[in-house]
Amino acid sequence: MRNVARNFIYQIIFQVMKIIVPIITIPIVSKALGPSGVGLYNYTNSIAQYFVLVASLGVAMYGNRAIALAYNRDENISILFLELFFFKAIFTLVVLFVYLITVSFFENRFILYVQGITILAVLFDISWFFMGIEDFKKTSICNVLVQSITFTAIILLVKDRSDLIIYTVIQTTGLLASQMFVWFFIKQHIVFEKISLSNIFKHLKGSVEFFLPEVAIVLYTNLNKTVLGVVLGSAAVGYYTNSVTINTVFITVITTLDMVLLPHMSSLFAKDNTERIIELMEKTLHLQLFFSIPIMFGMLTVYDKLIPWFFGDQFLFMNYIVPFFSILIVIIPLGSSLATQYLIPIGQVNKYNRSVTIGAGINMLGNIILLPFFGFFGAVFSNILAEFFVTFVRLKSFLKQTEFKFNLKKIISFTLSAFTMMIITRIVSANMPSTIITNCIQLVIAVSIYILLTSILKVNPLIEMVQGYLQENKQQD
């Protein structure tokens, strides 16, 4: 568990950067590029992501699990790493060639060419290896370094709508650089040996099992941007993307523990210790809900005071969108945890595939049915329905297979405390202007109320952690 805690800290450092950078750069980029510029970037990026998906071919998840299992069984991870790397490299180069030919027929071909760098980045991505051996330090350091550089470049170089290409170059080359820097550390773990071509392609079946759900995931997360761009134009994509992004920032933090626990849970499964997996999940899922529920209500508390100064007056339409997406702050992390802490580590990829396939089907069907009637909001509702059913299917499967039970007293207490927090904070701040100071005041009031109420109701896990730590130190003394 010490290793898990250490890796969690490294991931937290990286994820904090992933929060700080968007918090500062989103308003800069939004005000500089406007809804159409932000939308065009995300629309072209959504097209590139389909090719990134094929180039990756499920190796990230498959490789993470395969390396974790081999590492804990003292098998030769050098050969396994090289087989997986060259397997992915072959697909990446073929896909990149097809992409460059395909986008040459598009209207915005130049920006699409630049977006192609994200496909090249797939070639050098070996983060799955370091996750598999539970070494998060190196990838976190590289990512923090590159994010600091891209952050500075965005502040200095992105000034107006004409800088869209510059912004795209910064983002794509930053991604490529973060993947390449990690290679400086690979020699510490890998001995380069000869491998056979036949062994390279033996991983096709395993990676395809993880590739299929990734296709489905892209269809219910990325498709909406593409559809909105085609049907309603780039400005609609800008509103939609920023509304999703502001919630995704918090979702990213909440799901940090999942990627840390995936190799650890795989290790426990390799040692036939499934009971320990469930025991850990009883703690992690309730801890997650302790944070995700108030963050959802927190978003419903601050959004109308946040959007005007944070995104600019051009994005005021987001006031109608963000409240709908706030529910995803609870739904997505819960579904992610069920997949990465249980279904994937114990090898139940078929159930994982089923959940995302259902989500993709609902999203596509929702767009077909709802877009003609609700327009822009048809895509919003389709996304929410898809995420809900993905989590529902995983949760149903998880509860059916295990004796896990949610603590309803805790969940109800979290919800009532967060709801009360929202009501009181909105009443107190109702007549305040839309400024950063107002949001800071709202934050202080809301956090204080939530911590106080959960402590009174005796459901605050932070207090339990502090008490446990103090008791442990007392016993050592």
Side-chain angles (χ1 to χ4, degrees):
M1 284 301 294
R2 287 182 179 178
N3 199 32
V4 173
R6 186 170 62 250
N7 286 329
F8 182 63
I9 292 171
Y10 289 134
Q11 279 294 89
I12 279 290
I13 293 171
F14 171 51
Q15 300 300 346
V16 165
M17 282 295 295
K18 288 184 74 173
I19 297 171
I20 293 175
V21 171
I23 285 176
I24 299 175
T25 59
I26 284 176
I28 294 172
V29 173
S30 297
K31 291 169 185 176
L33 303 183
S36 60
V38 172
L40 183 56
Y41 169 80
N42 285 282
Y43 169 62
T44 53
N45 181 260
S46 73
I47 294 171
Q49 287 305 311
Y50 297 119
F51 292 86
V52 167
L53 173 69
V54 178
S56 302
L57 205 67
V59 170
M61 283 287 195
Y62 171 73
N64 185 335
R65 185 174 184 271
I67 292 293
L69 291 173
Y71 186 69
N72 284 283
R73 291 169 178 166
D74 293 324
E75 297 174 1
N76 191 329
I77 59 172
S78 294
I79 291 178
L80 178 58
F81 166 77
L82 293 170
E83 288 173 353
L84 288 168
F85 170 71
F86 284 107
F87 171 73
K88 185 159 65 78
I90 292 170
F91 276 92
T92 302
L93 293 174
V94 172
V95 169
L96 181 59
F97 177 74
V98 174
Y99 172 82
L100 294 174
I101 293 175
T102 303
V103 299
S104 63
F105 298 99
F106 281 65
E107 181 181 352
N108 299 295
R109 65 179 66 87
F110 186 69
I111 190 171
L112 282 163
Y113 287 144
V114 178
Q115 293 281 16
I117 297 173
T118 58
I119 302 172
L120 186 62
V122 174
L123 176 65
F124 297 97
D125 179 18
I126 53 171
S127 58
W128 45 269
F129 172 81
F130 289 97
M131 289 181 181
I133 63 173
E134 298 190 61
D135 183 357
F136 288 75
K137 179 180 179 180
K138 296 176 179 63
T139 54
S140 296
I141 290 173
C142 291
N143 283 320
V144 168
L145 175 63
V146 172
Q147 284 210 2
S148 301
I149 296 171
T150 57
F151 165 73
T152 305
I154 289 171
I155 292 177
L156 295 176
L157 302 176
V158 180
K159 303 297 182 182
D160 54 44
R161 179 70 170 76
S162 63
D163 295 326
L164 175 58
I165 292 294
I166 294 175
Y167 175 68
T168 307
V169 170
I170 292 171
Q171 292 285 58
T172 54
T173 54
L175 176 62
L176 177 61
S178 66
Q179 309 294 15
M180 294 181 71
F181 286 165
V182 181
W183 278 86
F184 288 109
F185 305 105
I186 196 66
K187 285 187 177 181
Q188 300 174 18
H189 305 280
I190 294 299
V191 176
F192 288 88
E193 305 176 37
K194 287 185 178 181
I195 55 174
S196 65
L197 191 63
S198 59
N199 285 338
I200 289 176
F201 288 99
K202 74 180 181 182
H203 299 287
L204 180 62
K205 181 181 177 182
S207 61
V208 166
E209 287 183 341
F210 286 92
F211 171 68
L212 293 176
E214 287 184 4
V215 172
I217 289 172
V218 167
L219 287 177
Y220 75 77
T221 58
N222 207 54
L223 181 65
N224 290 353
K225 298 176 188 177
T226 309
V227 170
L228 286 173
V230 173
V231 177
L232 299 177
S234 58
V237 182
Y239 296 131
Y240 180 90
T241 302
N242 273 358
S243 299
V244 171
T245 301
I246 196 172
N247 288 302
T248 302
V249 166
F250 298 103
I251 291 170
T252 300
V253 179
I254 297 168
T255 56
T256 296
L257 187 60
D258 291 338
M259 291 312 295
V260 174
L261 284 177
L262 174 56
H264 184 70
M265 296 300 204
S266 297
S267 172
L268 289 175
F269 179 68
K271 298 171 183 175
D272 295 320
N273 199 350
T274 307
E275 289 182 5
R276 179 59 178 159
I277 293 178
I278 304 303
E279 185 182 326
L280 281 173
M281 291 187 71
E282 287 177 351
K283 296 179 180 179
T284 59
L285 290 184
H286 288 101
L287 181 63
Q288 178 190 101
L289 291 170
F290 172 77
F291 288 107
S292 64
I293 291 173
I295 291 174
M296 176 190 71
F297 282 104
M299 181 57 66
L300 292 172
T301 302
V302 306
Y303 75 95
D304 54 342
K305 303 292 186 183
L306 172 69
I307 291 170
W309 72 264
F310 192 73
F311 292 99
D313 292 339
Q314 297 178 83
F315 286 89
L316 289 179
F317 182 68
M318 286 174 56
N319 279 324
Y320 301 103
I321 311 167
V322 171
F324 289 108
F325 277 138
S326 62
I327 187 66
L328 298 181
I329 295 174
V330 175
I331 293 175
I332 293 178
L334 180 58
S336 173
S337 294
L338 293 170
T340 55
Q341 292 185 38
Y342 184 74
L343 293 178
I344 294 174
I346 69 170
Q348 294 193 357
V349 184
N350 58 330
K351 290 184 172 63
Y352 173 70
N353 291 354
R354 182 168 170 260
S355 68
V356 293
T357 301
I358 290 173
I362 288 173
N363 191 46
M364 288 189 290
L365 188 62
N367 275 310
I368 293 171
I369 296 173
L370 299 178
L371 265 175
F373 293 98
F374 298 100
F376 179 91
F377 287 94
V380 174
F381 298 147
S382 296
N383 181 271
I384 295 170
L385 283 171
E387 295 288 2
F388 172 79
F389 276 98
V390 166
T391 298
F392 175 76
V393 171
R394 292 175 184 175
L395 182 60
K396 183 180 177 182
S397 176
F398 174 65
L399 294 177
K400 186 177 179 180
Q401 295 179 67
T402 67
E403 296 181 358
F404 180 93
K405 290 184 179 179
F406 282 102
N407 188 323
L408 293 180
K409 179 193 172 183
K410 285 186 177 181
I411 295 173
I412 292 171
S413 298
F414 296 159
T415 304
L416 290 176
S417 299
F419 181 75
T420 304
M421 168 199 81
M422 178 189 72
I423 296 299
I424 294 175
T425 306
R426 283 193 68 86
I427 291 173
V428 171
S429 61
N431 296 319
M432 293 182 181
S434 299
T435 63
I436 187 173
I437 295 175
T438 296
N439 285 141
C440 289
I441 293 172
Q442 288 178 315
L443 178 64
V444 171
I445 295 172
V447 170
S448 300
I449 292 172
Y450 184 70
I451 295 296
L452 177 64
L453 291 177
T454 52
S455 300
I456 292 172
L457 295 172
K458 297 182 179 179
V459 292
N460 190 328
L462 300 180
I463 292 179
E464 294 175 9
M465 289 179 184
V466 172
Q467 289 175 339
Y469 176 76
L470 293 175
Q471 187 176 0
E472 185 180 333
N473 284 349
K474 188 176 180 181
Q475 289 175 351
Q476 289 177 353
D477 293 338

